[in-house]
Amino acid sequence: MSQSQIAQLMDGTSLARRIVEEAAVTAANISRRTGTSPCLATVLVGEDPASVTYVRMKRARCAKAGIRSRHFALPAATTTAELVDTLTDLSGDPDVHGILLQHPCGPHIDERAAFEAIAPEKDVDGVTMRSFAEMSFSRPGFVSCTPGGIMRLLAEYDVDLAGRHAVVVGRSAILGKPVGVLLLAKDATVTYCHSRTADLSAIVREADVVVAAVGRPRLIRGADIKPGAVVIDAGYHPGNVGDVDFDTARTRARLITPVPGGVGPMTIAVLLAQTVQAAAEQLGTEHR
């Protein structure tokens, strides 16, 4: 296989860095004009090691971008009602501009009830039903961060989606479903696949764009990829493995995201950019 037949990597790390740098400039402008820096509140229930790490990483990125963060670590025994009360209080706090509820919260928590306690203007993670509705109708609002990052990557690499067949493998409320809606808004023809889809391989083989977001390591094989397709791998598993078998898929795809370094950095970048946007709107400054 010649080098020209190997897929080009979609570098999420570099694009995310540019997005965060732009957010940092805007955050500094907001602070200078208002005397207040954008603030993201992070809420974590319990001490799941992966969640603790994710929140720590997000807060560190906030600090580098000139965004304040306030962390609320709640005990694992926190009830849904107690979590809702915390999120309601933060929604009413004028010093907080964005709210991130790290999930999963635990099987005893009604996550949908918790998400809905977040005020839409502070839903910088794009998890509320209001945000999903605004996104579905292409209205101003906050998109789910991973889908938003995926769309930024596709735009960065000049992927023309109009009339293309996009197959989304996964139907979660914060990834699979919203990314399909965003693809549809760009005039792609969208097929959703999931755990009960019959003959998944046959459907994926017809895709011009594949978004793998199902949470199963190497589910999508290289043989399933249409030659010249664009492959977005939103999965992550131990050993730096995604939902796509990268080594075989890259010999058939035109563009492909690496794991790590593809979708992951974009998720955090969009979160920070939307936090700054939320602060600009709440503080009455221009967001540029």
Side-chain angles (χ1 to χ4, degrees):
M1 187 70 65
S2 68
Q3 186 63 35
S4 62
Q5 294 171 287
I6 299 294
Q8 179 184 358
L9 298 184
M10 303 175 77
D11 184 359
T13 300
S14 295
L15 176 56
R17 185 181 302 116
R18 297 207 310 270
I19 292 171
V20 173
E21 287 172 353
E22 292 171 3
V25 170
T26 304
N29 288 338
I30 291 171
S31 181
R32 186 180 66 253
R33 294 173 184 173
T34 68
T36 300
S37 298
C39 177
L40 174 69
T42 58
V43 180
L44 175 64
V45 178
E47 298 179 353
D48 174 73
S51 293
V52 170
T53 298
Y54 292 150
V55 170
R56 185 184 300 121
M57 180 170 57
K58 289 167 183 174
R59 297 188 71 208
R61 299 287 174 83
C62 281
K64 290 183 178 179
I67 297 170
R68 291 180 296 129
S69 63
R70 291 169 56 188
H71 184 53
F72 297 82
L74 306 179
T78 297
T79 65
T80 297
E82 290 169 337
L83 177 57
V84 165
D85 285 345
T86 296
L87 294 168
T88 300
D89 289 345
L90 291 172
S91 291
D93 186 342
D95 190 51
V96 170
H97 307 111
I99 301 172
L100 169 70
L101 172 59
Q102 183 65 41
H103 47 88
C105 299
H108 66 296
I109 295 288
D110 181 346
E111 287 192 356
R112 179 45 52 196
F115 287 147
E116 296 311 311
I118 299 172
E121 66 271 18
K122 299 186 180 184
D123 180 23
V124 294
D125 203 23
V127 294
T128 64
M129 289 189 287
R130 170 70 177 272
S131 293
F132 187 87
E134 299 284 9
M135 180 188 62
S136 298
F137 286 96
S138 299
R139 301 288 297 172
F142 298 119
V143 300
S144 299
C145 289
T146 300
I150 289 170
M151 298 307 293
R152 292 286 293 264
L153 264 177
L154 290 169
E156 175 72 10
Y157 285 86
D158 296 320
V159 177
D160 183 5
L161 294 166
R164 304 298 183 186
H165 184 197
V167 171
V168 178
V169 186
R171 53 178 172 177
S172 72
I174 60 172
L175 210 177
K177 287 179 181 177
V179 80
V181 168
L182 292 173
L183 290 164
L184 186 65
K186 293 296 183 181
D187 298 321
T189 299
V190 179
T191 299
Y192 285 100
C193 297
H194 45 78
S195 59
R196 295 182 180 270
T197 297
D199 202 355
L200 173 64
S201 295
I203 297 172
V204 172
R205 281 195 289 269
E206 298 298 318
D208 300 304
V209 178
V210 178
V211 179
V214 72
R216 293 177 57 185
R218 295 194 177 100
L219 176 68
I220 308 299
R221 303 167 301 171
D224 298 336
I225 302 301
K226 178 181 179 179
V230 176
V231 178
I232 305 291
D233 190 346
Y236 182 79
H237 310 277
N240 293 333
V241 173
D243 288 353
V244 176
D245 186 348
F246 177 83
D247 290 338
T248 57
R250 72 182 304 204
T251 65
R252 295 172 65 87
R254 176 172 67 89
L255 292 165
I256 190 170
T257 56
V259 176
V263 173
M266 295 297 299
T267 299
I268 296 180
V270 171
L271 173 69
L272 300 189
Q274 293 194 152
T275 298
V276 172
Q277 178 186 342
E281 292 171 355
Q282 291 166 47
L283 294 170
T285 65
E286 292 185 7
H287 176 60
R288 299 193 304 166

